mmCIF file with all atom_site columns, all heavy atoms in Angstrom:
data_model
loop_
_atom_site.group_PDB
_atom_site.id
_atom_site.type_symbol
_atom_site.label_atom_id
_atom_site.label_alt_id
_atom_site.label_comp_id
_atom_site.label_asym_id
_atom_site.label_entity_id
_atom_site.label_seq_id
_atom_site.pdbx_PDB_ins_code
_atom_site.Cartn_x
_atom_site.Cartn_y
_atom_site.Cartn_z
_atom_site.occupancy
_atom_site.B_iso_or_equiv
_atom_site.pdbx_formal_charge
_atom_site.auth_seq_id
_atom_site.auth_comp_id
_atom_site.auth_asym_id
_atom_site.auth_atom_id
_atom_site.pdbx_PDB_model_num
ATOM 1  N N   . ARG N 1 68 ? 111.155 91.554  103.160 1.00 0.00 ? 230 ARG N N   1
ATOM 2  C CA  . ARG N 1 68 ? 111.779 92.264  104.284 1.00 0.00 ? 230 ARG N CA  1
ATOM 3  C C   . ARG N 1 68 ? 113.261 92.455  103.999 1.00 0.00 ? 230 ARG N C   1
ATOM 4  O O   . ARG N 1 68 ? 113.959 91.489  103.662 1.00 0.00 ? 230 ARG N O   1
ATOM 5  C CB  . ARG N 1 68 ? 111.596 91.490  105.585 1.00 0.00 ? 230 ARG N CB  1
ATOM 6  C CG  . ARG N 1 68 ? 112.354 92.118  106.757 1.00 0.00 ? 230 ARG N CG  1
ATOM 7  C CD  . ARG N 1 68 ? 112.121 91.368  108.046 1.00 0.00 ? 230 ARG N CD  1
ATOM 8  N NE  . ARG N 1 68 ? 112.902 91.930  109.143 1.00 0.00 ? 230 ARG N NE  1
ATOM 9  C CZ  . ARG N 1 68 ? 112.820 91.538  110.410 1.00 0.00 ? 230 ARG N CZ  1
ATOM 10 N NH1 . ARG N 1 68 ? 111.975 90.575  110.724 1.00 0.00 ? 230 ARG N NH1 1
ATOM 11 N NH2 . ARG N 1 68 ? 113.562 92.102  111.332 1.00 0.00 ? 230 ARG N NH2 1
ATOM 12 N N   . ILE N 1 69 ? 113.733 93.678  104.146 1.00 0.00 ? 231 ILE N N   1
ATOM 13 C CA  . ILE N 1 69 ? 115.144 93.996  103.964 1.00 0.00 ? 231 ILE N CA  1
ATOM 14 C C   . ILE N 1 69 ? 115.669 94.496  105.303 1.00 0.00 ? 231 ILE N C   1
ATOM 15 O O   . ILE N 1 69 ? 115.192 95.515  105.814 1.00 0.00 ? 231 ILE N O   1
ATOM 16 C CB  . ILE N 1 69 ? 115.367 95.066  102.878 1.00 0.00 ? 231 ILE N CB  1
ATOM 17 C CG1 . ILE N 1 69 ? 114.654 94.679  101.574 1.00 0.00 ? 231 ILE N CG1 1
ATOM 18 C CG2 . ILE N 1 69 ? 116.853 95.281  102.636 1.00 0.00 ? 231 ILE N CG2 1
ATOM 19 C CD1 . ILE N 1 69 ? 114.697 95.764  100.522 1.00 0.00 ? 231 ILE N CD1 1
ATOM 20 N N   . GLN N 1 70 ? 116.628 93.778  105.860 1.00 0.00 ? 232 GLN N N   1
ATOM 21 C CA  . GLN N 1 70 ? 117.244 94.205  107.114 1.00 0.00 ? 232 GLN N CA  1
ATOM 22 C C   . GLN N 1 70 ? 118.406 95.130  106.766 1.00 0.00 ? 232 GLN N C   1
ATOM 23 O O   . GLN N 1 70 ? 119.426 94.702  106.245 1.00 0.00 ? 232 GLN N O   1
ATOM 24 C CB  . GLN N 1 70 ? 117.733 93.004  107.911 1.00 0.00 ? 232 GLN N CB  1
ATOM 25 C CG  . GLN N 1 70 ? 118.261 93.365  109.286 1.00 0.00 ? 232 GLN N CG  1
ATOM 26 C CD  . GLN N 1 70 ? 117.160 93.897  110.187 1.00 0.00 ? 232 GLN N CD  1
ATOM 27 O OE1 . GLN N 1 70 ? 116.109 93.285  110.315 1.00 0.00 ? 232 GLN N OE1 1
ATOM 28 N NE2 . GLN N 1 70 ? 117.403 95.048  110.798 1.00 0.00 ? 232 GLN N NE2 1
ATOM 29 N N   . PHE N 1 71 ? 118.251 96.409  107.046 1.00 0.00 ? 233 PHE N N   1
ATOM 30 C CA  . PHE N 1 71 ? 119.269 97.385  106.680 1.00 0.00 ? 233 PHE N CA  1
ATOM 31 C C   . PHE N 1 71 ? 120.420 97.332  107.678 1.00 0.00 ? 233 PHE N C   1
ATOM 32 O O   . PHE N 1 71 ? 120.213 97.364  108.893 1.00 0.00 ? 233 PHE N O   1
ATOM 33 C CB  . PHE N 1 71 ? 118.667 98.789  106.634 1.00 0.00 ? 233 PHE N CB  1
ATOM 34 C CG  . PHE N 1 71 ? 117.902 99.052  105.368 1.00 0.00 ? 233 PHE N CG  1
ATOM 35 C CD1 . PHE N 1 71 ? 116.760 98.338  105.064 1.00 0.00 ? 233 PHE N CD1 1
ATOM 36 C CD2 . PHE N 1 71 ? 118.336 100.016 104.470 1.00 0.00 ? 233 PHE N CD2 1
ATOM 37 C CE1 . PHE N 1 71 ? 116.066 98.560  103.900 1.00 0.00 ? 233 PHE N CE1 1
ATOM 38 C CE2 . PHE N 1 71 ? 117.641 100.249 103.300 1.00 0.00 ? 233 PHE N CE2 1
ATOM 39 C CZ  . PHE N 1 71 ? 116.509 99.526  103.006 1.00 0.00 ? 233 PHE N CZ  1
ATOM 40 N N   . THR N 1 72 ? 121.643 97.265  107.139 1.00 0.00 ? 234 THR N N   1
ATOM 41 C CA  . THR N 1 72 ? 122.860 97.211  107.947 1.00 0.00 ? 234 THR N CA  1
ATOM 42 C C   . THR N 1 72 ? 123.902 98.131  107.318 1.00 0.00 ? 234 THR N C   1
ATOM 43 O O   . THR N 1 72 ? 123.801 98.481  106.130 1.00 0.00 ? 234 THR N O   1
ATOM 44 C CB  . THR N 1 72 ? 123.428 95.774  108.013 1.00 0.00 ? 234 THR N CB  1
ATOM 45 O OG1 . THR N 1 72 ? 123.655 95.304  106.670 1.00 0.00 ? 234 THR N OG1 1
ATOM 46 C CG2 . THR N 1 72 ? 122.450 94.840  108.707 1.00 0.00 ? 234 THR N CG2 1
ATOM 47 N N   . PRO N 1 73 ? 124.935 98.533  108.071 1.00 0.00 ? 235 PRO N N   1
ATOM 48 C CA  . PRO N 1 73 ? 125.942 99.440  107.511 1.00 0.00 ? 235 PRO N CA  1
ATOM 49 C C   . PRO N 1 73 ? 126.704 98.877  106.316 1.00 0.00 ? 235 PRO N C   1
ATOM 50 O O   . PRO N 1 73 ? 127.246 99.653  105.525 1.00 0.00 ? 235 PRO N O   1
ATOM 51 C CB  . PRO N 1 73 ? 126.889 99.679  108.707 1.00 0.00 ? 235 PRO N CB  1
ATOM 52 C CG  . PRO N 1 73 ? 126.039 99.461  109.910 1.00 0.00 ? 235 PRO N CG  1
ATOM 53 C CD  . PRO N 1 73 ? 125.109 98.363  109.534 1.00 0.00 ? 235 PRO N CD  1
ATOM 54 N N   . ASP N 1 74 ? 126.774 97.548  106.171 1.00 0.00 ? 236 ASP N N   1
ATOM 55 C CA  . ASP N 1 74 ? 127.520 96.972  105.050 1.00 0.00 ? 236 ASP N CA  1
ATOM 56 C C   . ASP N 1 74 ? 126.629 96.631  103.864 1.00 0.00 ? 236 ASP N C   1
ATOM 57 O O   . ASP N 1 74 ? 127.071 95.978  102.915 1.00 0.00 ? 236 ASP N O   1
ATOM 58 C CB  . ASP N 1 74 ? 128.287 95.729  105.507 1.00 0.00 ? 236 ASP N CB  1
ATOM 59 C CG  . ASP N 1 74 ? 127.370 94.634  106.038 1.00 0.00 ? 236 ASP N CG  1
ATOM 60 O OD1 . ASP N 1 74 ? 126.178 94.935  106.295 1.00 0.00 ? 236 ASP N OD1 1
ATOM 61 O OD2 . ASP N 1 74 ? 127.836 93.492  106.201 1.00 0.00 ? 236 ASP N OD2 1
ATOM 62 N N   . LEU N 1 75 ? 125.386 97.073  103.880 1.00 0.00 ? 237 LEU N N   1
ATOM 63 C CA  . LEU N 1 75 ? 124.469 96.787  102.782 1.00 0.00 ? 237 LEU N CA  1
ATOM 64 C C   . LEU N 1 75 ? 124.897 97.547  101.526 1.00 0.00 ? 237 LEU N C   1
ATOM 65 O O   . LEU N 1 75 ? 125.342 98.697  101.608 1.00 0.00 ? 237 LEU N O   1
ATOM 66 C CB  . LEU N 1 75 ? 123.048 97.188  103.175 1.00 0.00 ? 237 LEU N CB  1
ATOM 67 C CG  . LEU N 1 75 ? 121.893 96.551  102.397 1.00 0.00 ? 237 LEU N CG  1
ATOM 68 C CD1 . LEU N 1 75 ? 121.804 95.061  102.695 1.00 0.00 ? 237 LEU N CD1 1
ATOM 69 C CD2 . LEU N 1 75 ? 120.572 97.227  102.761 1.00 0.00 ? 237 LEU N CD2 1
ATOM 70 N N   . LEU N 1 76 ? 124.746 96.927  100.367 1.00 0.00 ? 238 LEU N N   1
ATOM 71 C CA  . LEU N 1 76 ? 125.080 97.548  99.087  1.00 0.00 ? 238 LEU N CA  1
ATOM 72 C C   . LEU N 1 76 ? 123.806 97.863  98.316  1.00 0.00 ? 238 LEU N C   1
ATOM 73 O O   . LEU N 1 76 ? 122.773 97.200  98.501  1.00 0.00 ? 238 LEU N O   1
ATOM 74 C CB  . LEU N 1 76 ? 125.957 96.617  98.255  1.00 0.00 ? 238 LEU N CB  1
ATOM 75 C CG  . LEU N 1 76 ? 127.327 96.248  98.844  1.00 0.00 ? 238 LEU N CG  1
ATOM 76 C CD1 . LEU N 1 76 ? 128.025 95.223  97.954  1.00 0.00 ? 238 LEU N CD1 1
ATOM 77 C CD2 . LEU N 1 76 ? 128.182 97.488  99.019  1.00 0.00 ? 238 LEU N CD2 1
ATOM 78 N N   . PRO N 1 77 ? 123.845 98.864  97.420  1.00 0.00 ? 239 PRO N N   1
ATOM 79 C CA  . PRO N 1 77 ? 122.645 99.161  96.622  1.00 0.00 ? 239 PRO N CA  1
ATOM 80 C C   . PRO N 1 77 ? 122.120 97.951  95.860  1.00 0.00 ? 239 PRO N C   1
ATOM 81 O O   . PRO N 1 77 ? 120.910 97.749  95.746  1.00 0.00 ? 239 PRO N O   1
ATOM 82 C CB  . PRO N 1 77 ? 123.137 100.262 95.670  1.00 0.00 ? 239 PRO N CB  1
ATOM 83 C CG  . PRO N 1 77 ? 124.253 100.928 96.399  1.00 0.00 ? 239 PRO N CG  1
ATOM 84 C CD  . PRO N 1 77 ? 124.919 99.834  97.190  1.00 0.00 ? 239 PRO N CD  1
ATOM 85 N N   . SER N 1 78 ? 123.032 97.121  95.329  1.00 0.00 ? 240 SER N N   1
ATOM 86 C CA  . SER N 1 78 ? 122.600 95.940  94.575  1.00 0.00 ? 240 SER N CA  1
ATOM 87 C C   . SER N 1 78 ? 121.894 94.922  95.461  1.00 0.00 ? 240 SER N C   1
ATOM 88 O O   . SER N 1 78 ? 121.108 94.101  94.969  1.00 0.00 ? 240 SER N O   1
ATOM 89 C CB  . SER N 1 78 ? 123.797 95.282  93.887  1.00 0.00 ? 240 SER N CB  1
ATOM 90 O OG  . SER N 1 78 ? 124.781 94.902  94.836  1.00 0.00 ? 240 SER N OG  1
#
Side-chain angles (χ1 to χ4, degrees):
R230 174 178 177 175
I231 308 173
Q232 186 66 50
F233 281 64
T234 56
D236 61 346
L237 201 68
L238 298 175
S240 59

